[in-house]
Amino acid sequence: MKPWLRTGQVNKMAMLQSTAKSPFRVSEETLLAQTNDLIVQGFELQDMQSLDDLERWDDAVNDILMVINEQVLNSGLASPALKRRIECLLELYVSVLASLSELQQSHTAQATELRQQRRVIAG
């Protein structure tokens, strides 16, 4: 994992969460930039083995999509660039959730194997 990703990721995700809870309108440029950041992070997270990082990214994606949905409904944000990024983010989101599921299944299988080994050793 790149050392800058872990610290930068937490800071960016905290920014996204605070933006999602804000009652004011977020500019489309800000939404485009935040969506781009999430797309880049999502591609990097696909190869990671950290449930915490994947779960934080999942929360950040949900937050930014909530802001976008609210602003599309209230102010008609619908530029082609934003639509393309949302489509890409949603496809990536599904892929990362599949990775998260596989990782959770792997952890469960490892835990089961360890319990079985302990039983064999304990006799």
Side-chain angles (χ1 to χ4, degrees):
M1 171 172 44
K2 297 172 185 156
W4 58 266
L5 178 62
R6 179 171 293 275
T7 56
Q9 178 181 347
V10 173
N11 292 336
K12 286 179 186 175
M13 289 185 191
M15 176 188 72
L16 289 171
Q17 290 173 355
S18 64
T19 300
K21 293 176 174 77
S22 299
F24 61 89
R25 186 176 189 282
V26 179
S27 73
E28 186 168 347
E29 292 79 24
T30 300
L31 293 174
L32 288 168
Q34 290 176 345
T35 304
N36 277 344
D37 288 345
L38 287 171
I39 290 168
V40 169
Q41 291 169 12
F43 280 116
E44 291 171 346
L45 286 171
Q46 286 181 308
D47 297 327
M48 288 188 168
Q49 297 297 309
S50 171
L51 287 174
D52 291 336
D53 290 341
L54 288 169
E55 288 171 352
R56 277 193 294 275
W57 183 80
D58 174 57
D59 290 341
V61 169
N62 286 321
D63 288 345
I64 194 71
L65 290 176
M66 186 176 12
V67 170
I68 291 171
N69 282 334
E70 180 180 313
Q71 291 194 195
V72 166
L73 290 174
N74 294 330
S75 61
L77 273 183
S79 75
L82 185 57
K83 285 180 183 179
R84 282 190 306 274
R85 284 179 180 85
I86 292 169
E87 289 172 5
C88 181
L89 183 60
L90 290 175
E91 288 175 15
L92 183 60
Y93 183 75
V94 169
S95 176
V96 170
L97 286 181
S99 297
L100 178 61
S101 177
E102 289 174 18
L103 189 56
Q104 288 172 331
Q105 290 172 359
S106 173
H107 284 284
T108 301
Q110 288 172 352
T112 301
E113 184 177 328
L114 284 174
R115 282 192 296 273
Q116 290 173 347
Q117 289 175 357
R118 286 181 188 142
R119 286 184 195 135
V120 169
I121 292 169

